[in-house]
Amino acid sequence: RSTENKERPPSSSGRAAELLARESGVVPGFVGFGISTSNEPGYVPAIHGAEEIDNMVDADFRLVLRKLSKRDAVTKLKAVQEFGAMCQERESDVVKGVLPYWPRIYCKISVDHDRRVREATQQAFEQLILKVKRNLAPYLKGIMGHWLIAQCDTYSPAASAASVAFQAAFPLNKQPEALSFCRDEVLTVLQDNLLKETADTLSDPQSVTEEEREAKYVRLLTSSLLALKRLLTALPQTDREAVGERLANVISQKKFWKYSKHKTPQVRGAFFEAVAALCELTPHLIQAEAAQACTTVLLSIDDSDPVVLPPLWEAVLHILSSVEDCWKHVNAKKGVLPKLWVLLKEGGRGLATSLHPNLLPFISQLPGEVTDPKLDFCRTFFSSTIQGLSSERAVASPSECAAIVFAIMECLRFLLIQNAGEELEHRSLQTALITEHLLPLIDTALASPALQSGPLFPQITEMLVSWEKRTTGSEPNTFQRLLVDFWDGLGRLCVRYVDHEETEQVGLEGVASLLQIMQNPSVQGKRKKKALKICIAEQESKGQGEDPSSGTPETEPSERQGKQDSPLRSSHLLELVCQLAELNMVYVCERDSERHLRFLALLLHAFPKPQVFQVLVKSEDGKPELGLAEAELGTLSENPAVCFLLQRVVVWLRQDDRKDTDFLVNMVFSVLQCCSSKAEQTLVLNHITSDLKWGVILQIIQKAGADAACFELCEGWLRGSVLGERLVCLAGELCAVGLKGSSSPSSSLMSQHNHSWPLISLALSQQHTNEPLIGKVYVEQIIERLHATLSEAKDISDAGNMEPLVSFISDVASNFFSSVRGCLLLAATEDLLLTIFQLCAQDQTLTRLSDALLQKLKLAYTAGVHSLVTQLGAGVTKGTFLHSAAIWIKNQLLTSPLNLKSLQVLVQAVTSLAETLASSQRNECLLSQFINCLTPTHKEWDSLRKALPPQWVKQPLLCGRLQANGEYPSMDVWKMKGLNRLPAHLCASAVLGKIIFIAIPAENQQEETDTSELPDLRHTVAEILYALQWCEEMEHCPAVVSEYRKMLQDWNIAEKTHGNSSAKAGVLETLFTRSREEGALWSLTLASFLQNSKPVASVVKSLYGNVESFYPLTEQSVNTVQVLCPSLATEEREALIALSIAELLNWQEKEQDGVWACLAVLHCCLQAETPVEEEILLAVIATLLEWRNSKEEWFLFSSDLGKASAAELALPVEMMRFLCWMVDHSPTVLGSTNWDFLLCSMLAWLETASECSGAFWNPWVQQFVCANCELIVRLTEFFTAPPAGVAEQLPPELSTEWQEFFVEGIHSLLLPLLVKIPVEFPEPDEPVFPLAVVVAVGEALVYIPVQLLTNNKLPARFVADQKSSLPDALQTLLNTLAPLLLFKARPLQLAVYHLLRKVMPLLPESDRESATAKSEDEDEEEPCLSPPAAIMSILTATEELLENILGGVQVGEFAVVQPLSMEHCCILGYLLAWKLLLTFFKAAPSQLRVQYSLYLKKTRALHKLLLHLFRLMPENPILPGQSTDTASKDHKSYFTESLPLSLHHLQCEVPHLACSVYYGALKDLPAMVRLWWNSQEKRVFSAVDKFTSKFVSSVLSLQEISSVQSSTQTFESMTVKARSTTREVIATYSVDDIFIELVIQLPQNYPLGSITVESGRRVGVAVQQWRNWMLQLSTYLTHQNGSIMEGLSLWKNNVDKRFEGVEDCMICFSVIHGSNYSLPKKACRTCKKKFHSACLYKWFTSSNKSTCPLCRETFF
């Protein structure tokens, strides 16, 4: 085109493209990668270089459009999604800028290989359309072709997305218009796709695999063919004509028709769809190509691909109807029909549902020349189709089979109607169809259950009905004849089946089924559903031992067919039935054939007609029993049906050997249908059931319950007295048999009454009319009987045999409760329900019921309670079930001794009852009333609290949390150890705690709920908290209490209480009131509640008003103040102090109690850090001094504490606490007199205590001693390290007096006291053992000076045969204290350990003196010395015990030790003894250490220790409580942290102690541990190595290196340096010209691995000499238990001696002996060489010679 008159030509090809697009609507480009053969413009535009995208386009869009041209599928997918999102978000003006470039991009990516990209493209396109709307119009033609193809995409999500986009662009009425607008462009695209494109032109062969190219091509072909169909369908007729020429051009091409043979089914299917559309919408075009079309379509008739077959047959039928002379172009008999017959014989190859519905239209359109001769055609057609029924797929699939049957019957009826004439040809055809095809088909069906249940029989019936109608039509004679022929043939066929003794059951059932469907066609559709419904109904009403054989679908009575007339009007059917019945009866009577009897039942079920019964009784003579029946039944006995019943059916029913009576029961119902009235039916049933078996009666009732029609027949009998009375008798009989209990297993009861229990259960269940099945009177009688029996069974002790009986009653009750409405209106029912509930709520050890049975009973009572509440909305008035249950539960709680198990069972039962109530109740008050009924009264609660054991007081008393000055219990009470039963208070609390929170949440929906329905809620909650507090305070908690407490914690009762806002305020008030009135445990409960709920100060203030209200002080108000003190404001506490001081100063007017109370309150406030003036404190001290002078008896000096009352003991305790506080907080206030008073009182109290050790069982005395020891500890700490600036302000002589007089005074009393306690109280597990005193005394003794231990005044104790070099006092101390390491009281073990640890470093001194005293000649043998015998005896005693305890645990596994158990005590003692031993070892000098280690080696003590340690150390010794995310280097472990061994804390004690001992052993005895390690088996060896390297080596290496660095030891002529990073120690020795450097390297697994000694520089030393020295040092460090510094010191001495001229010993090549540090002294007389004595001794013993090692002469 010329561009002269326009603005200057565009500078970029992008703009040019845009311009062209605007003008012509098509974007030019090139076709794919091939060369286009036509002159038309290309339609798949290339995306030319990215630079083409105009700069006018938004930058973000430009980026996305560039990404769309990438090859990678994921990049493209993300880009498309991003494009869609941007279209949605951006302004429409911005989006419009993209439109010029969209068509060519869309055309490319809408046919992308990746289906996700295609789907996303259509979704993005939709967003684009929604944004640009009409602006898309100019670009439509460029897009429409690909858009239509996209709507036919083979990936349906992509196709539907394209359709959605299309609908978004055009409303439904505009769519044809839009397509019409672009029709030429669309056709061009489709034409090119179908005729020009190939796989290689669509995709670039170089970059796309062949498989992907082929897939894309196939997809595009399929979509294009479908798009062609869619285009034709959518275009208006005028447009179709307009494009006719172009279409003709397409379909005239050979390539187009070749698609019918394409290898891909999708393409073939799409092709036939397109052809069908062309036939339908442009028939003239197809007519023009008739030859091609007919041959292509009709010769493909056997294409049986599931994708191709439906569209193919659509095309076939269209061709037949739209091409007039289609059979001219193909040979039907050679080319088409043979293919069809093969397909039909194979049953349509599994596609019958698609193929066979087309057969009728197909044969109806076949012209005469194709079907002649007609008879042969029909024979071939039907034989092929019927043969298809036996194909594999038809047999397997009911739907396939049904489709074939429908086709056969349709075509048969069509051909019969088509040939209904009377001509010979027609008649022969009719006869052939019926005799050769229809009757044989029926014959086949009778032997095949699959065909019987299919549509064949209903279709035959329908055909017969239509023939009967046609007998009055245009061809009456023909159809009359057809009917006669058919019935004759069918009669012969049926008789053949019946008249044969060995006939198959299936055949007889088939005959019955056919006749039944002919009688009532509707029955077939219903049968399956009916059977299902009945099975369910039966399952529900089945009892336990019921015979499940009843319920085969064929035998279920459905609607009363007898009353329904058959759709067949002729009498043929009934005549045939009567004929068969008569014939059948012969086999039943004469041959006794069970099969024929069942067949008879089926016939009568379908035809309950008098005519049939008449035939059956015709041949009978009158039986004798009819005479008897006439009297009862009157004229009824003449009814043929009743006659048959009495003569035959009843006889069969009574046969003893008959198992299956189900079909006979059906006969009974058939007979009943022939009775004219309900009265007659009732009469007949009453007559026959009076002596029938229970199983038969059960079946009759089951059928009545399952089918409304049957129920109607026997309603009178069911509600009547005959059945009712029989059932009541049966129930009585069953219960009597059950109560006797069978000695044989329960099965005998089951077999004897196989149907009886299910019968009772069924009789009690409900009918549709909300009435019981049997009369109400009888229901009540039966329930009463069951209840009486269950109550009796409950009380029989030998309940094992009751199991079956209780089980049956439970089943019956459960069924009754759940199915009968209003069942609980009967009084007996409520009693039964209560009894069942009681059985569930008691422990199985009492009821002896199995778990399964208990579960059944629970289900029964839950069902009962549910129906009770939902149907009646029952109340909790006296006599009702809920009231009785509540009273019974309350009695159980208050009077029955319950253990934890029985309590749990009871709680479970009550909870499930409460939950059932909560979920079923209509109004909220029912559960609340029940709870109120259950809750004890205030008086009952009171007595329950008093019954709680009083030992709880001990723990809070000793901790100072409680003041209790009442009468204290005697020693026997404290001795009480365990509880067998839970106190009733705890039981009541548990039950109420569990259920009140079921009741409260419902009310808690409102903001502030009113708990008016539970008026006692606050009191109940308070009692529950009281019970919890009691459990918490029990010190030596009996197991049952700790389990109970855990149970309550699992239920979260405390949390629920604190979380419930409605209850919170009320509970707090209640607790406060109780605390004020009763004090004691109520105060502690209040304290816990305050701690958990943390109320605001104003709430607390509102409780007491002002502090004056607490005065005059009582024990209760003191306890309450103590609890509230932390929450009080400072002013209030100051007020309390002021009031207390005022009272104190007026002490003369007070009793001792009043004085104590004031002092206690004062101490409380001081503890809470209330500011107080010094004058006040001085005034109190002055008051105490006054008492000392005038009321000395208050101090209890030198009195017998055992005889003092709690109140008398309480005052000195408060004084001690006050004095303690003074020492801690205001020591400078005290003057000289005050100090004297304080110290002397303290000592006097201690003397008093040590004289009364026998009274230590008493917690109040323990409190006295503990307070005294606490004062001693505070004083000791104070004088040891007085606070800064305090020492100068103290009286001058005070410190000296303390050191010289008081310290010795205190400890000379405390040490014997500690030793005395285990003598006075030898049983540490007894609750009377004064553990608190041991802790207090032990903590005070920690500060004892060593000299007081070495010069102790303990009574002398020595052990016979004990070698010892220790002074007597020390030996006595060891012998006295060491055995206590194994006393089973942990604080005592630790106290003793701390004392002994102080003296351990002094002990080697005595051994050193005795060792040096030994003469030289005694060291022939390597001497070994035992460590202190007292400690060693502890080890020997425990080693064996430990082996027993830990023997089962493998080395390297972690044995968990139960804290405070016997094992714990033993292991703790053992480890502490080793700790002491290691302390002792560390203090010993090198020479002695060798001797001690030899002793340990000999006794294998260390060997055993290490094995034990590797069972006691945890696999991962990380200190608990560290966050896991800290780097592993920063983790604190048991090796990095020291063990405090406090007398209080217990956590992880044994594992930590074991690690500590292992660490000590490695540090102090490395050589011995190394020796042990090397001797272990491989598994232990590697476990020890791994553990040590990972956790210990780094700590030890670091310490060893740092000890070298920080060592103060200096050597003459030797310097030592250490490098911690490389774990090296470097020693440099220089003397004169000699210079030696040694490098000692610690291994990775130090100290297990050998330390390597390497030479640095050396000057002036011979190589051999050098090697000797290196070897010496290395040997020492490897085999001696010393440190690196000690090793270097020894080595230096060696070198020094060498330079001094002393020669080496020629055995060990060392001057100084490695272990006893002696010089070589023993010289050989011959060669004059000198040796160490120990070396020579070893030489002689190991070589068994006495010659000189050097010259081999005899050694003298």
Side-chain angles (χ1 to χ4, degrees), residues 914-933:
E915 280 167 353
T916 313
L917 285 180
S919 61
S920 319
Q921 63 188 7
R922 292 169 182 174
N923 55 1
E924 307 302 327
C925 63
L926 193 56
L927 180 54
S928 312
Q929 289 172 7
F930 175 69
I931 292 173
N932 289 340
C933 209

Side-chain angles (χ1 to χ4, degrees), residues 186-236:
V186 172
L187 264 175
T188 305
V189 173
L190 296 180
Q191 188 175 345
D192 286 0
N193 281 352
L194 292 174
L195 304 176
K196 292 182 182 174
E197 295 294 5
T198 65
D200 290 346
T201 58
L202 277 174
S203 317
D204 181 0
Q206 288 174 347
S207 60
V208 184
T209 62
E210 187 182 346
E211 197 182 321
E212 285 190 8
R213 295 204 302 273
E214 188 57 39
K216 183 173 180 178
Y217 175 59
V218 165
R219 197 176 58 249
L220 199 65
L221 271 184
T222 309
S223 304
S224 299
L225 286 164
L226 293 172
L228 179 61
K229 176 186 174 180
R230 187 174 271 234
L231 180 67
L232 287 174
T233 316
L235 283 177

Side-chain angles (χ1 to χ4, degrees), residues 252-265:
S252 62
Q253 304 277 344
K254 283 272 192 300
K255 186 171 181 181
F256 177 74
W257 295 102
K258 275 185 187 167
Y259 290 134
S260 70
K261 295 283 181 278
H262 197 279
K263 64 182 180 193
T264 313

Side-chain angles (χ1 to χ4, degrees), residues 566-581:
S566 164
L568 297 172
R569 290 196 295 268
S570 63
S571 60
H572 293 296
L573 177 60
L574 196 55
E575 284 165 14
L576 176 58
V577 171
C578 292
Q579 181 192 353
L580 292 178

Side-chain angles (χ1 to χ4, degrees), residues 1057-1073:
T1057 317
H1058 295 306
N1060 195 297
S1061 54
S1062 63
K1064 203 184 261 184
V1067 172
L1068 182 59
E1069 201 178 314
T1070 309
L1071 290 176
F1072 176 75
T1073 314

Side-chain angles (χ1 to χ4, degrees), residues 1216-1445:
M1216 292 180 213
R1217 287 178 180 162
F1218 175 71
L1219 293 172
C1220 245
W1221 189 88
M1222 288 296 295
V1223 172
D1224 274 356
H1225 295 88
S1226 303
T1228 50
V1229 175
L1230 300 172
S1232 179
T1233 324
N1234 303 344
W1235 276 109
D1236 286 350
F1237 161 68
L1238 195 161
L1239 295 173
C1240 295
S1241 302
M1242 174 267 297
L1243 205 50
W1245 279 321
L1246 183 57
E1247 279 172 12
T1248 309
S1250 57
E1251 284 160 17
C1252 300
S1253 56
F1256 283 2
W1257 60 268
N1258 182 341
W1260 281 264
V1261 177
Q1262 291 184 26
Q1263 187 189 17
F1264 179 92
V1265 183
C1266 291
N1268 190 207
C1269 289
E1270 176 70 9
L1271 181 56
I1272 292 170
V1273 170
R1274 295 298 169 79
L1275 284 167
T1276 313
E1277 285 173 351
F1278 176 75
F1279 283 113
T1280 312
V1286 171
E1288 298 78 48
Q1289 298 179 44
L1290 295 178
E1293 300 298 316
L1294 186 61
S1295 186
T1296 322
E1297 280 177 22
W1298 169 258
Q1299 292 298 347
E1300 291 176 0
F1301 174 70
F1302 288 105
V1303 170
E1304 190 174 342
I1306 291 166
H1307 293 298
S1308 60
L1309 290 169
L1310 280 176
L1311 187 58
L1313 184 58
L1314 185 71
V1315 176
K1316 208 190 311 181
I1317 292 172
V1319 178
E1320 296 257 6
F1321 299 95
E1323 282 300 322
D1325 285 334
E1326 286 288 328
V1328 291
F1329 184 80
L1331 203 66
V1333 174
V1334 175
V1335 174
V1337 172
E1339 285 185 330
L1341 273 170
V1342 168
Y1343 299 98
I1344 187 169
V1346 180
Q1347 67 272 22
L1348 288 181
L1349 280 175
T1350 49
N1351 305 323
N1352 62 73
K1353 304 281 192 297
L1354 290 174
R1357 181 183 292 188
F1358 302 111
V1359 179
D1361 301 335
Q1362 193 181 53
K1363 290 181 183 172
S1364 169
S1365 53
L1366 298 173
D1368 289 354
L1370 257 181
Q1371 191 59 55
T1372 296
L1373 184 76
L1374 281 182
N1375 288 348
T1376 309
L1377 293 183
L1380 295 179
L1381 281 172
L1382 294 182
F1383 191 81
K1384 192 175 175 257
R1386 179 183 163 279
L1388 186 61
Q1389 290 176 285
L1390 290 172
V1392 166
Y1393 163 75
H1394 287 302
L1395 290 174
L1396 288 177
R1397 200 184 60 177
K1398 287 180 182 270
V1399 296
M1400 275 297 143
L1402 311 176
L1403 304 183
E1405 198 54 46
S1406 328
D1407 280 339
R1408 177 189 277 182
E1409 290 161 14
S1410 61
T1412 44
K1414 284 186 184 176
S1415 66
E1416 278 291 339
D1417 292 337
E1418 280 175 23
D1419 61 3
E1420 295 295 318
E1421 182 187 353
E1422 278 195 283
C1424 65
L1425 258 182
S1426 164
I1431 302 293
M1432 289 314 290
S1433 63
I1434 295 291
L1435 292 185
T1436 347
T1438 45
E1439 272 166 357
E1440 198 173 327
L1441 285 170
L1442 251 78
E1443 194 47 55
N1444 293 339
I1445 297 168

